[in-house]
């Protein structure tokens, strides 16, 4: 980084602290832990009252509490009380990030306050972006990838308008991990047209970790991770929850979702049931309906948590089910058909009409997760965690078939995947300023290819050990993180049917590591540098695939000699969070050795459907460099400007003189919006926002060329808003989102179906959320 | 509480076991419909031969084995019937009857190129009186060589436009032709 840039950052940080000073530093929190008796068991539902501020709260089921918006370096009188215990009054002085441990006793003898300097739940020392609550609500009803697409550095790889996968800083599919409720999703993510089986409605918070996160989340997280957390359980006794409904103009769709919590009075037992129903019909691009783009989805989940002495338990069961149509015009029989379809500006074989009926081609995917977790709090510092997760994934793909006979009701491809995961970890609160943990993981996976010999059956066994530690000593501005992990994967693959004859054992083992440093300029402003080594074993698909990829009009062949991909990711990011200014910037360089890619062979493979160009899986070194960021700048009392951008350059550096651009790298993207907010009496914020997204034309394409030139640059205008209301005493939220407000006809480079049809046009969605 | 945990865990294990069993039963190793072999049965006065296009290991792997169509010069009255099958399965699956039963949804097209002196005309119609092309009449001219391209279209939108009938291509194969 140049001196000038450093000066710029320093200026930004300074202005941040000025803004903070104007706000009198009253954004500190009083955080602490309340324990009971000599055994120091966590005390739930103790009342905490701060006299000077007139604020109060209850400790949660683990004895933790938080009171926000207190002034730093001020003294407060804190009263802690519980029906079964003695009252405690203590004067405390709030310091940045300090937490207070209060120990209550059944008699009034013991009055002890320990001020322990410890960081709370440290976020990874890595570039990350969290979806704001407003953005999460505004995207309700869209799929996971679509929900995340506003975040800087995140884009969407789509196959038509119904199937989308998140792309983090240019990497996707098996190179990123999707972590839902602390469970890494295990499904057929290798496929470009296989969307993640996650219901965004179940999410209370979504965070994207950019860069190598393999130490935390395993070999799947070479390029980053999407962390989906559910809302915390209800803390009060009895019932509570929400119902959310939405309607969409494009596709004439509707979605209904609800969640209910119940806490057994006077008990630690709390349970939740959640469900989502969704249906929509053919989408419409500005000039025509996109035939066969309907979808339906139903998801249910249940979870429970309870506590007994030092033990905490949580169990959850969830089921995701979807059926999605695939644009009829995208189905082509051979290369001549494909060339005709590509040449045509409008989709061929397209029925320009609206229907909810889903015909061939379509996909069905189901995912079942059962998670069971137990935590043993050994003492205030140490805890032991064990988790067992079972996942079952089923995917069926129905192609357009010649026969309407018995084959006409059967899928052409069907996969089933069973995954058993066992995790154990020991974690600790700061000990000599170091906080972290170590653990191991065992994975067993069975894949059955019921129909269609695209990939072989396989059985995988794997094991991992990891350690991760973080050091922060207040008030030193430095924070360090170190982590290491070793993974081993063993896979036995056998052929299905008569087309492939594979019976092979492959095994891969590799170490990964991460080193990060955070410098806190002040409470509002910090810079993070992270350097991580991560790896990924080649997927069975890349090793053994052999067949015609009809959507792409290519013959693809795996290579059993592939070795693991290794990534060295360096990421420097800068965060500033104040009322007046919010900045999130990230610059990265990701060097990948033995990057696996599909290489065009300049030869044709003769098949019964004619000749198809051959693509073989190959390996080469690649470098991905990029810059992305977003900001919220306060212009007036309640007016914000929200710019954002994502830029990435991906090149293959070997086997290509001077380097060759990687295919399917997101084009440069610029976002800008103006948001007007109004705070209600109870701090719930209403807002309206109008903004635009400009995506440039991708001019950096592989030398081998593209089947169809990259689409032109486009700009979309979007509008969204939320109105906070009251239905009686209950909070109610009314939302409006208009995407593609000007009904612009456009195609996107990252959408595989750009060959065939335009993207959908304007969509008006109305949402209503009732909190009960 | 311990009982609760263990019962929950056992439920999870039982569930996983159930799914495993279900999966094993469903696992049938059946391939999708896969045309590997097209046979042209050419008959006429004093002529009876079968020309085969065969790719029994499917796309990739070994190249397809393609017979050369050798026909006597200046001969008319030859008739050709197409047979379509999957010989990667055992026993082989013959799709010809099924295609004929659904003749309105199928169209065979015939294109001679490269200078071969061969004239092909349709000898059949589908049940709605439109071209079908499974049976064709062949006539040869002088000595020459070239190629014959045969395509099967599925759900064609315009059966009278044999150059571009719409729908999807089920197979698209070419034979070398020698008229001697």
């Amino acid at each position: 980084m140049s001196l000038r840039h450093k000066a710029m950052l320093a200026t930004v940080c300074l202005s941040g602290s000025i803004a903070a000073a104007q706000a009198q530093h009253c954004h500190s929190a009083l955080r602490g832990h309340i324990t009971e008796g000599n055994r120091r068991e966590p005390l739930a539902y103790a009342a905490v009252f701060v006299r000077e501020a007139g604020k109060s709260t209850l400790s949660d089921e683990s004895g933790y509490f938080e009171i926000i918006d207190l002034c730093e370096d001020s003294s407060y009188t804190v009263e802690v009380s519980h029906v079964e215990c003695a009252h405690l009054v203590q004067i405390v002085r709030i310091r940045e990030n300090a937490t207070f441990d209060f120990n209550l006793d059944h008699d009034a003898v013991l009055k002890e306050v320990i001020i322990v300097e410890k960081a709370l739940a440290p976020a990874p020392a890595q570039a990350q972006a969290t979806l704001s609550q407003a953005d999460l609500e505004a995207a309700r009803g869209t799929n996971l990838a679509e929900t995340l697409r506003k975040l800087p550095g995140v884009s969407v790889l789509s196959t038509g308008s119904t199937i989308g996968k998140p792309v983090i800083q240019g990497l996707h599919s098996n190179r990123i991990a999707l972590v839902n409720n602390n469970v890494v999703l295990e499904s057929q993510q290798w496929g470009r047209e296989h969307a993640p089986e996650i219901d965004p409605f179940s999410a209370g918070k979504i965070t994207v970790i950019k860069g190598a996160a393999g130490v935390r989340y395993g070999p799947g997280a070479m390029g980053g991770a999407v962390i989906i957390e559910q809302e915390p359980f209800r803390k009060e006794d009895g019932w509570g929850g929400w119902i959310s409904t939405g309607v969409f103009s494009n596709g004439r769709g509707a979605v209904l979702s609800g969640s209910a919590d119940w806490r057994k009075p006077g008990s630690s037992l709390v349970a939740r049931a959640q469900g989502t129903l969704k249906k929509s019909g053919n989408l419409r691009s500005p000039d025509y309906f996109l035939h066969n783009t309907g979808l339906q989805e139903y998801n249910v989940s249940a979870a429970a948590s309870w506590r007994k002495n030092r033990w905490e338990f949580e169990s959850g069961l969830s089921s995701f089910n979807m059926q999605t149509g695939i644009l009829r015009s995208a189905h082509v029989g051979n290369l001549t058909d494909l060339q005709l379809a590509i040449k045509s500006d409008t989709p061929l074989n397209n029925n320009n009409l609206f229907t909810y009926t889903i015909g061939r081609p379509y996909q069905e995917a189901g995912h079942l997760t059962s998670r069971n977790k137990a935590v043993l709090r050994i003492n205030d510092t140490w805890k032991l965690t064990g988790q067992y997760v079972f996942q079952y994934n089923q995917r069926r793909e129905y192609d357009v078939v010649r026969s309407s006979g018995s084959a006409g009701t059967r899928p052409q491809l069907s996969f089933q995947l069973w995954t058993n995961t066992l995790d154990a970890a020991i974690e600790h609160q700061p000990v000599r300023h170091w906080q972290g943990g170590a653990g191991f993981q065992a994975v067993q996976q069975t894949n059955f290819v019921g129909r269609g010999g695209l990939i072989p059956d396989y059985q995988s066994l794997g094991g991992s050990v990891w350690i991760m530690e973080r050091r922060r000593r207040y008030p030193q501005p430095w924070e360090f993180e170190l982590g290491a992990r070793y993974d081993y994967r063993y896979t036995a693959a056998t052929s299905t049917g008569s087309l492939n004859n594979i019976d092979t054992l492959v095994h891969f083992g590799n170490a990964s590591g991460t080193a990060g440093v955070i410098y806190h300029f002040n409470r509002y402003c910090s810079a993070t540098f992270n350097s991580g080594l991560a790896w990924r074993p080649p997927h069975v698909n890349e090793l053994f695939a052999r067949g015609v990829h009809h959507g792409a009009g290519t013959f693809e062949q795996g290579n059993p000699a592939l070795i693991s991909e290794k990534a060295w990711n360096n990421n420097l990011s800068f965060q500033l969070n104040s009322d007046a200014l919010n900045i999130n910037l990230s610059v990265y360089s990701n060097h990948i050795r033995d990057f696996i890619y599909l290489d065009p062979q300049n030869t044709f493979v003769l098949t019964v459907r004619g000749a198809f160009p051959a693509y073989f899986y190959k390996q080469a070194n690649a470098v991905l460099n990029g810059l992305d960021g977003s900001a919220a700048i306060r212009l007036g009392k309640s007016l914000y400007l929200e710019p954002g951008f994502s830029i990435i350059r991906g090149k293959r550096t070997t086997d290509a003189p001077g380097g060759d651009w990687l295919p399917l790298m997101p084009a440069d993207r610029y976002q800008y919006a103006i948001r007007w907010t109004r705070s209600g009496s109870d701090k719930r914020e209403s807002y309206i926002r109008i903004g635009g997204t400009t995506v440039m034309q991708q001019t950096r394409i592989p030398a081998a060329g593209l089947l169809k030139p990259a689409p032109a640059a486009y700009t979309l205008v979007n509008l969204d808003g939320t109105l906070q209301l009251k239905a009686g005493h209950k909070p109610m939220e009314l939302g409006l989102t208009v995407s593609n407000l000007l009904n612009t006809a456009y195609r996107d480079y990252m959408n595989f179906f750009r060959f065939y049809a335009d993207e959908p046009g304007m969509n008006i969605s109305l949402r209503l959320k009732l909190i009960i | 509480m311990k009982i609760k945990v263990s019962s929950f865990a056992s439920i999870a294990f039982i569930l996983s076991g159930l799914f495993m069993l279900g999966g094993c039963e469903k696992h049938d190793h059946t391939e999708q419909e896969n045309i590997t072999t097209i046979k042209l049965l050419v008959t006429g006065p004093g002529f009876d031969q079968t020309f085969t296009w065969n790719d029994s290991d499917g796309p990739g792997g070994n190249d397809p084995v393609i017979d050369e169509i050798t026909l006597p010069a200046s001969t008319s009255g030859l008739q050709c019937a197409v047979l379509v099958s999957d010989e990667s399965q055992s026993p082989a699956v013959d799709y010809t009857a099924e295609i004929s039963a659904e003749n309105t949804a199928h169209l065979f097209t015939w294109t001679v190129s490269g200078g071969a002196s061969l004239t092909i005309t349709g000898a059949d119609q589908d049940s709605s009186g439109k071209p079908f092309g499974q049976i064709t009449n062949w006539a040869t001219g002088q000595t020459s060589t070239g190629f014959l391209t045969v395509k099967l279209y599925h759900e064609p939108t315009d059966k009278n436009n044999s150059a571009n009938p719409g729908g999807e291509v089920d197979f698209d194969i070419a034979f070398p032709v020698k008229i001697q």
Side-chain angles (χ1 to χ4, degrees), chain A residues 306 328 331 334 368 372 390 400-404 448 450 453 457 496-499 546 555 608-610, chain B residues 1 8 16 19-20 27-28 31 33 35 38 53 57 60 88 95 98-99 102 106 154 168-172:
Chain A
W306 65 98
R328 181 65 182 79
H331 187 272
N334 72 354
L368 184 96
N372 305 283
F390 165 72
V400 176
V401 286
R402 190 191 51 71
S403 161
S404 60
F448 272 136
D457 290 347
T496 55
S498 53
L499 292 186
R546 199 188 86 182
F555 173 85
V608 76
R609 288 187 172 186
Chain B
M1 203 52 81
F8 207 102
S16 52
F19 281 108
M20 294 278 194
H27 190 224
D28 55 6
E31 290 299 330
E33 179 190 288
I35 297 170
I38 292 107
W53 190 104
D57 68 343
S88 71
Y95 297 120
E98 201 180 281
I99 294 169
E102 295 170 7
H106 290 98
H154 173 227
E168 263 118 16
V169 173
D170 286 324
F171 68 72
D172 175 352

Side-chain angles (χ1 to χ4, degrees), chain A residues 296-309:
Chain A
Q296 47 196 18
E297 201 178 297
Y298 69 93
N299 311 314
V300 286
S301 71
S305 156
W306 65 98
R307 190 171 63 83
K308 182 80 177 173
N309 300 329

Side-chain angles (χ1 to χ4, degrees), chain A residues 475-494:
Chain A
Q476 285 174 7
W478 296 96
E479 201 171 331
F480 303 95
E481 188 182 72
L482 286 171
R485 181 176 175 123
Y486 184 81
D487 302 91
Y488 179 79
R489 282 283 160 108
Y490 162 96
T491 300
T494 50

Side-chain angles (χ1 to χ4, degrees), chain B:
Chain B
M1 203 52 81
K2 262 188 178 159
I3 297 155
K4 256 189 183 170
V5 177
S6 57
S7 62
F8 207 102
S10 53
I11 289 168
F13 274 111
I14 291 164
L15 270 177
S16 52
L18 280 177
F19 281 108
M20 294 278 194
L21 282 175
C24 294
E25 281 162 9
K26 277 181 213 154
H27 190 224
D28 55 6
H29 282 288
T30 316
E31 290 299 330
Q32 66 190 92
E33 179 190 288
N34 189 48
I35 297 170
T36 63
T37 310
I38 292 107
K39 287 181 182 159
L40 308 183
L41 270 54
V42 184
T43 51
F47 190 87
D48 185 352
Q49 271 195 45
T50 302
F51 305 107
T52 307
W53 190 104
N54 185 29
D55 190 13
S56 56
D57 68 343
N62 297 323
D63 281 339
V65 178
I66 307 165
D67 286 349
E68 187 183 53
I69 299 175
T70 311
L71 299 169
S74 306
T75 309
S76 57
L78 296 170
Q79 195 165 64
C80 171
V82 194
L83 300 183
V84 182
S85 60
D86 178 359
E87 299 197 345
S88 71
Q89 297 191 43
S90 178
V93 182
D94 191 338
Y95 297 120
T96 316
E98 201 180 281
I99 294 169
S100 298
E102 295 170 7
N103 54 21
T104 51
H106 290 98
L107 177 70
F108 291 90
T109 66
W110 303 83
T111 315
V112 180
S113 61
S117 182
L118 175 64
T119 312
I120 297 180
T121 48
D124 58 358
Q125 288 180 332
D126 69 13
S127 46
S128 57
K130 289 187 174 153
F132 178 42
Q134 199 244 332
I135 312 279
T136 44
N137 291 328
W138 291 19
T140 59
Q142 77 279 24
T143 305
S144 56
T145 57
F147 294 95
L148 169 62
T149 303
V150 192
K151 292 186 190 181
L152 173 62
Y153 285 91
H154 173 227
E155 288 180 359
T157 48
D158 183 5
K159 277 191 140 188
N160 292 316
N161 179 4
S162 66
N164 187 17
E168 263 118 16
V169 173
D170 286 324
F171 68 72
D172 175 352
I173 56 166
F175 290 89
V177 178
K178 191 178 195 182
I179 314 287
Q180 58 186 23

